[in-house]
Amino acid sequence: MLAPRACFGGAAPVIIVPPISITVLFLDVASFSVLASSFSIMTYQWRKDGVDIPGATSATYKILSVSAPDAGTYTVKVSNAYGYIISSGAVLTVPLPPVLSLQPQNQAAILGQNTVFSAAADGSGTFSYQWNHNGTPVLNATNASLVLSNVQASLAGDYSVRVANSYGAITSAVASLTVLLPPQVATPPQTLSLTAGNDTVLSPNVEGTAPFSYQWLFNNAPISNATNATLTLPHITTAAIGNYSLILTNVAGAITSSIASINVTVPAFSLAADIPPVINSAGFAFQFNAPVGSSYVIYASTDLTTWTPIYTNTTTTGNILFSDAATNFHARLYRVAVRE
């Protein structure tokens, strides 16, 4: 406390009871008071850290809702007509409940990997932590960081942390954990034996975290533009014989399916005249069978030595009916060559 400063002819005030230091919880009321004596009218001016507080001119100074900036050292200047005196300092301590300066953030972890949730708090004293998973406390999860090792699907969900000190507690925002499942070909494409000319589709069942990307392979080489979940092979020919597999990829990795082998057999074709043969003024007609998608050439001869191609086409149905005007021929012979 500063000694009284007096002017000639009178005495400055004397402080009998100075303000005392106090500790006030956040948002509570703080009150300082001074008891002074004087033979004349006294005035008061409260100060915080040496700076006058506007309007604080009573023997008592109150802060109705204490916050962190209010912490500091308070004094009061007591004056009369003959001088003044400044009190000793009274310290206001404001212990603070925890305030989260770092909230846990959403995480995505690949199955079997590790991940970490973290939080940080400001406030007074020491903190305690309790992490929760989907609202249930996690056993022994009492640090500022929560480390999850060898993450499994069961650990997916919402995480939060409750932070406490001697003056209060706070619960963080919720952060989610997404567990990314690596791709799996649950049902791989199947080995097939097919007849030439038929259509087939390779369609495996896949599991994991979507979305997926696909790349089909033929004899271990990528098939151009074969990037759909299924592989369609229309009008199959012997060129399709070989091994097929699928590279399945997602955000968690890639896997190659087991091999599906495709074997293609070409059925023998038959050549026969209609029963009864169609022979009339329009010519001669006959029919034959060939695999769908194969090309065929019809040859004609009059001597079984010289064969001339007279018609070429591709089969769209298994049974082909061919008609030939066959004019100006005493006799005409036919044969058919089929190519895949």
Side-chain angles (χ1 to χ4, degrees), residues 9-240:
V14 174
I15 293 177
I16 299 173
V17 180
I20 60 174
S21 297
I22 55 176
T23 297
V24 179
L25 297 181
F26 182 68
L27 300 182
D28 280 356
V29 176
S31 180
F32 293 104
S33 62
V34 65
L35 178 60
S37 176
S38 171
F39 290 104
S40 61
I41 296 173
M42 293 179 290
T43 60
Y44 303 88
Q45 177 60 62
W46 288 90
R47 298 175 173 180
K48 176 181 181 291
D49 298 328
V51 178
D52 288 353
I53 303 171
T57 56
S58 299
T60 299
Y61 173 61
K62 288 186 177 182
I63 304 172
L64 298 180
S65 182
V66 167
S67 61
D70 294 321
T73 300
Y74 290 79
T75 58
V76 59
K77 179 182 179 182
V78 184
S79 304
N80 65 11
Y82 303 104
Y84 67 88
I85 188 172
I86 298 175
S87 73
S88 58
V91 177
L92 172 60
T93 302
V94 183
L96 298 176
V99 176
L100 284 166
S101 56
L102 174 65
Q103 296 276 2
Q105 302 297 308
N106 294 339
Q107 302 288 334
I110 296 173
L111 185 74
Q113 292 189 349
N114 303 336
T115 193
V116 179
F117 288 103
S118 296
D122 294 327
S124 301
T126 58
F127 301 109
S128 64
Y129 300 85
Q130 178 59 61
W131 287 90
N132 301 295
H133 177 213
N134 293 334
T136 300
V138 179
L139 186 64
N140 298 324
T142 54
N143 295 319
S145 295
L146 173 64
V147 179
L148 300 176
S149 302
N150 189 24
V151 167
Q152 301 299 304
S154 60
L155 294 181
D158 295 331
Y159 288 82
S160 61
V161 61
R162 185 178 186 272
V163 185
N165 65 5
S166 298
Y167 311 104
I170 189 172
T171 299
S172 73
V174 172
S176 65
L177 172 62
T178 301
V179 179
L180 305 174
L181 303 179
Q184 296 292 330
V185 182
T187 304
Q190 301 299 303
T191 292
L192 299 171
S193 293
L194 304 170
T195 301
N198 291 324
D199 299 340
T200 193
V201 177
L202 300 181
S203 181
N205 291 325
V206 301
E207 296 176 352
T209 299
F212 299 102
S213 63
Y214 305 85
Q215 178 59 65
W216 288 92
L217 308 177
F218 176 58
N219 292 334
N220 293 321
I223 303 172
S224 178
N225 299 320
T227 55
N228 295 321
T230 58
L231 177 65
T232 300
L233 301 173
H235 306 306
I236 202 165
T237 68
T238 55

